C-alpha cells in the first residue's frame, strides 16, 4: 500500500505573490481548504514539505499560496510538479471503498482461484470505475467493470481481487 497520495499538479503561477494554479487530482478539491501541509515533488526528484497558507478556487484550478514563497520567481520552477499528502491526511473511506493507488498491482483471480493478471490502471468513467488488467501470459489488456456482478471480493491483505468472469469479458 502506498504511503502518499497525489492531490494535485502545479499547472502555472498565479499573480506575482508566489501563488500557483494547481490542477486537482483528488475527488474532493475542497479539501485544499483544510490541508495544512503538502509535499512538492520536483523535477529533480527532491521532496519539499510546504505549508499551505491559503487556497481558493478559480475555474478548474485551486489557487494555492505556500507560506515559504512570496514571489513568482520562487515558484515558477515548480510548473508540472506534483503535490502529495500523507496517507493519514487522505479522505476517509466508507466500507467497501478503496484508494485507487492501493489496487495497483493486485492479482486478479477468477472464482476458481486461477490468476488471470494484475491491475495496471484504474479508469474513472463517472458511472463506475473500470479496472485495467494486464494478462499474465500475453501482456494483453482486459477492462473489468467495477460492478458487483463482476467484482466479488477485494482483499488488500492477500493482494488479490476475485472476479466473476462474465461472458465476453476475455
Amino acid at each position: 500500500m502506498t504511503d502518499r497520495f497525489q492531490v494535485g499538479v502545479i499547472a502555472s503561477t498565479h499573480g506575482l505573490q508566489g501563488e500557483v494554479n494547481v490542477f486537482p487530482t483528488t475527488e474532493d478539491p475542497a479539501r485544499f481548504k483544510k490541508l495544512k501541509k503538502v509535499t512538492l515533488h520536483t523535477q529533480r526528484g527532491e521532496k519539499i514539505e510546504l505549508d499551505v497558507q491559503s487556497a481558493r478556487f478559480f475555474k478548474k484550478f485551486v489557487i494555492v499560496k505556500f507560506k515559504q514563497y512570496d514571489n513568482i520567481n520562487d515558484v515558477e520552477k515548480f510548473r508540472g510538479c506534483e503535490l502529495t499528502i500523507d496517507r493519514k491526511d487522505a479522505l476517509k473511506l466508507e466500507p467497501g471503498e478503496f484508494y485507487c493507488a492501493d489496487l495497483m498491482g493486485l492479482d486478479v483471480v477468477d472464482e476458481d482461484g486461477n490468476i488471470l493478471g494484475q491491475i495496471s490502471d484504474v479508469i474513472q468513467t463517472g458511472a463506475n470505475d473500470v479496472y485495467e488488467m494486464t494478462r499474465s501470459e500475453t501482456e494483453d489488456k482486459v477492462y473489468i467493470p467495477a460492478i458487483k456482478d463482476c467484482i466479488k471480493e477485494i482483499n488488500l491483505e492477500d493482494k488479490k481481487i476475485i472476479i466473476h468472469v462474465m461472458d465476453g469479458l476475455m
Side-chain angles (χ1 to χ4, degrees), residues 44 92 121 157 161:
R44 294 187 198 156
K92 303 301 177 224
D121 197 5
E157 265 184 35
I161 295 177

Side-chain angles (χ1 to χ4, degrees), residues 43-87:
Q43 310 292 3
R44 294 187 198 156
E46 300 169 286
K47 296 176 183 173
I48 303 169
E49 191 162 298
L50 298 172
D51 300 304
V52 176
Q53 181 174 321
S54 65
R56 54 194 168 93
F57 304 95
F58 180 71
K59 296 185 180 178
K60 63 181 179 180
F61 295 106
V62 183
I63 301 169
V64 178
K65 173 80 172 83
F66 301 114
K67 290 180 183 172
Q68 289 86 343
Y69 300 105
D70 291 318
N71 187 303
I72 186 173
N73 297 322
D74 296 334
V75 295
E76 239 172 3
K77 62 186 173 221
F78 298 142
R79 186 182 316 254
C81 294
E82 72 175 37
L83 300 173
T84 63
I85 58 167
D86 196 65
R87 177 180 276 277

Side-chain angles (χ1 to χ4, degrees), residues 21-38:
N21 288 321
V22 175
F23 181 76
T25 57
T26 175
E27 261 185 48
D28 182 17
R31 71 186 335 258
F32 276 90
K33 288 277 201 192
K34 298 176 189 153
L35 284 178
K36 303 274 188 255
K37 291 188 178 297
V38 295

Side-chain angles (χ1 to χ4, degrees), residues 9-161:
V9 176
I10 296 177
S12 61
T13 59
H14 186 90
L16 301 174
Q17 305 304 314
E19 291 179 311
V20 291
N21 288 321
V22 175
F23 181 76
T25 57
T26 175
E27 261 185 48
D28 182 17
R31 71 186 335 258
F32 276 90
K33 288 277 201 192
K34 298 176 189 153
L35 284 178
K36 303 274 188 255
K37 291 188 178 297
V38 295
T39 300
L40 176 101
H41 298 260
T42 68
Q43 310 292 3
R44 294 187 198 156
E46 300 169 286
K47 296 176 183 173
I48 303 169
E49 191 162 298
L50 298 172
D51 300 304
V52 176
Q53 181 174 321
S54 65
R56 54 194 168 93
F57 304 95
F58 180 71
K59 296 185 180 178
K60 63 181 179 180
F61 295 106
V62 183
I63 301 169
V64 178
K65 173 80 172 83
F66 301 114
K67 290 180 183 172
Q68 289 86 343
Y69 300 105
D70 291 318
N71 187 303
I72 186 173
N73 297 322
D74 296 334
V75 295
E76 239 172 3
K77 62 186 173 221
F78 298 142
R79 186 182 316 254
C81 294
E82 72 175 37
L83 300 173
T84 63
I85 58 167
D86 196 65
R87 177 180 276 277
K88 69 178 173 47
D89 298 324
L91 296 171
K92 303 301 177 224
L93 298 176
E94 297 294 323
E97 291 183 333
F98 301 91
Y99 296 114
C100 293
D102 289 342
L103 300 177
M104 304 304 279
L106 293 183
D107 286 331
V108 178
V109 179
D110 67 15
E111 292 168 298
D112 296 326
N114 301 310
I115 296 176
L116 305 173
Q118 288 187 327
I119 299 296
S120 51
D121 197 5
V122 177
I123 303 162
Q124 297 177 311
T125 66
N128 57 270
D129 289 350
V130 175
Y131 301 154
E132 179 186 82
M133 176 187 75
T134 303
R135 302 266 332 236
S136 300
E137 64 278 350
T138 63
E139 297 292 314
D140 290 341
K141 305 289 185 196
V142 176
Y143 297 93
I144 304 165
I147 56 175
K148 289 182 183 181
D149 290 344
C150 196
I151 306 298
K152 295 303 176 189
E153 179 185 340
I154 296 177
N155 188 325
L156 295 180
E157 265 184 35
D158 293 341
K159 297 182 175 45
K160 69 179 179 180
I161 295 177

